[in-house]
């Protein structure tokens, strides 16, 4: 992860995660380790996958003690196999024990997202379709989870509500129609913001094209409806499909001609990649 992003965005969130796990003290660790003793522990993959979040993992321990040393044998984006020694962490044993769970939570979650994203992205290889994520992320973990999507070979949709205009069904309902919603967005939104509108019927597709939407999201349409919509749009706007897109059904999208496919499953449904810290032992200085 970019160092500036780490300092400006991730550090505060990591500290909050540590404070959630240590409200006053780590009673278990302090019971068995009354003073500083240098130790080392191995980071081991327990299943195959794509690794993501190593810098975030390391940052957990460095926030607890900047003298902690971390040496990795892999980098983000690398494929790992069950049993691989991903790296070693050395430092105050109290730090290694107190930071273990938070560090692994980030690494396992981010690697799981990268692994699942990679699996979905491979199904789109050879096509012109770009794989996107959504805002269906874990609260206060978006910066980590969207980074993991990129590591896995996907691309990011808008980061948050300030990042772009996306007029969904409820916005359209509030405005009164697709045309009115797009017109109001064009009047209000900054010049550099593209306007995307979500549609569910061919009538709405036609309305969105006539209103001058930059991107038209085809939501919960059948592949046949998507193809009809894409043919009608004919390049007058970029096209995106969404709605329950998963690894199991994404291949059906390839023949529709859409430009982008967004899948909330990349972040909200991805299983973790199992990783453990093992073989902790004291070392002589």
């Amino acid at each position: 992860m970019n160092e500036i992003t780490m300092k400006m965005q991730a550090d505060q969130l990591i500290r909050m995660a540590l404070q959630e796990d240590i409200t006053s003290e780590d009673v278990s660790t302090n019971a068995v380790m009354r003073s500083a003793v240098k130790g080392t522990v191995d980071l081991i993959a327990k299943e195959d996958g794509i690794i993501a979040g190593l810098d975030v993992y390391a940052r957990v321990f460095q926030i607890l003690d900047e003298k902690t040393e971390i040496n990795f044998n892999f980098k983000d984006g690398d494929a790992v196999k069950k049993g691989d020694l991903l790296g070693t962490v050395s430092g105050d044993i109290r730090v290694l024990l107190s930071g273990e769970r938070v560090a692994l939570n980030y690494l396992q979650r981010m690697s799981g997202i990268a692994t699942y994203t990679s699996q979905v992205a491979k199904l789109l290889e050879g096509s012109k379709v770009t794989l996107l994520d959504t805002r269906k992320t874990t609260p206060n973990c978006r910066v980590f989870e969207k980074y993991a999507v990129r590591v896995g070979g996907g691309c990011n949709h808008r980061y948050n509500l300030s990042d772009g205009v996306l007029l969904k069904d409820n916005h359209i309902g509030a405005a009164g129609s697709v045309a009115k919603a797009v017109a109001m967005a064009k009047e209000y939104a900054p010049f550099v913001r593209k306007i995307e509108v979500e549609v569910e019927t061919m009538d709405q597709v036609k309305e969105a094209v006539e209103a001058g939407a930059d991107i038209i999201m085809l939501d919960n349409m059948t592949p046949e409806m998507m193809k009809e919509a894409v043919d009608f749009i004919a390049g007058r706007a970029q096209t995106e499909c969404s709605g329950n897109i998963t690894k199991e059904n994404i291949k059906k999208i390839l023949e529709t001609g859409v430009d982008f496919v967004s899948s909330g499953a990349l972040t909200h449904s991805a299983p973790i990649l199992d990783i453990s810290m093992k073989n902790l032992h004291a070392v002589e200085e």
Side-chain angles (χ1 to χ4, degrees):
M1 183 176 288
N2 178 281
E3 290 183 9
I4 296 174
T5 302
M6 183 75 78
K7 290 179 181 178
M8 296 301 297
Q9 298 293 328
D11 274 9
Q12 177 185 358
L13 298 171
I14 293 170
R15 289 180 187 277
M16 289 170 62
L18 286 167
Q19 289 165 356
E20 178 184 55
D21 215 30
I22 309 172
T23 54
S24 58
E25 64 170 323
D26 178 352
V27 180
S28 304
T29 294
N30 291 347
V32 300
M33 190 61 55
R34 305 296 177 89
S35 60
V37 176
K38 186 173 182 179
T40 186
V41 66
D42 296 332
L43 182 65
I44 300 171
K46 297 182 70 176
E47 57 183 317
D48 300 353
I50 304 297
I51 202 72
L54 291 172
D55 288 346
V56 177
Y57 169 89
R59 191 66 180 146
V60 172
F61 298 106
Q62 291 164 345
I63 284 176
L64 289 173
D65 183 357
E66 62 184 13
K67 293 181 290 186
T68 305
E69 298 176 1
I70 302 100
N71 295 295
F72 293 122
N73 300 323
F74 294 84
K75 65 182 184 302
D76 281 359
D78 283 348
V80 300
K81 298 290 186 182
K82 180 179 180 180
D84 279 347
L85 176 62
L86 305 180
T88 57
V89 186
S90 301
D92 185 341
I93 287 180
R94 297 172 300 180
V95 169
L96 305 186
L97 290 170
S98 295
E100 174 183 3
R101 184 68 269 156
V102 171
L104 284 176
N105 283 349
Y106 281 122
L107 187 61
Q108 290 177 317
R109 176 74 176 145
M110 294 174 71
S111 297
I113 290 171
T115 299
Y116 185 78
T117 300
S118 176
Q119 293 168 351
V120 177
K122 285 179 180 177
L123 297 175
L124 298 177
E125 287 181 351
S127 75
K128 73 179 186 72
V129 181
T130 299
L131 178 65
L132 303 173
D133 58 16
T134 72
R135 286 169 42 244
K136 293 180 180 178
T137 53
T138 308
N140 288 330
C141 284
R142 185 169 295 171
V143 67
F144 308 111
E145 295 180 0
K146 279 186 168 284
Y147 167 78
V149 167
R150 297 197 304 273
V151 171
C155 296
N156 296 149
H157 204 289
R158 59 178 181 163
Y159 182 78
N160 59 28
L161 295 175
S162 301
D163 205 27
V165 178
L166 174 48
L167 303 171
K168 299 175 74 67
D169 56 351
N170 286 329
H171 297 102
I172 293 166
S177 70
V178 169
K180 288 180 180 178
V182 173
M184 294 166 74
K186 283 179 175 290
E187 179 184 355
Y188 181 83
F191 171 73
V192 295
R193 295 286 194 271
K194 288 187 176 181
I195 296 173
E196 180 170 9
V197 60
E198 177 186 274
V199 298
E200 298 179 343
T201 67
M202 279 303 301
D203 285 342
Q204 288 184 324
V205 169
K206 294 172 183 177
E207 197 176 353
V209 170
E210 292 171 1
D214 298 301
I215 308 166
I216 298 176
M217 177 190 288
L218 311 174
D219 187 48
N220 285 306
M221 289 186 177
T222 65
E224 293 76 21
M225 288 180 64
M226 288 183 201
K227 189 172 190 324
E228 180 184 357
V230 171
D231 290 343
F232 175 82
I233 294 166
R236 287 175 287 179
Q238 291 183 302
T239 55
E240 174 188 342
C241 70
S242 69
N244 300 310
I245 306 296
T246 66
K247 183 172 62 175
E248 289 70 29
N249 63 21
I250 199 167
K251 278 192 173 181
K252 297 178 182 178
I253 307 301
L254 295 181
E255 304 302 320
T256 65
V258 295
D259 300 306
F260 302 93
V261 54
S262 54
S263 173
L266 299 185
T267 50
H268 79 64
S269 303
I272 67 161
L273 186 70
D274 201 4
I275 302 168
S276 66
M277 292 172 63
K278 293 288 187 182
N279 308 319
L280 173 63
H281 59 277
V283 295
E284 294 184 5
E285 297 191 66

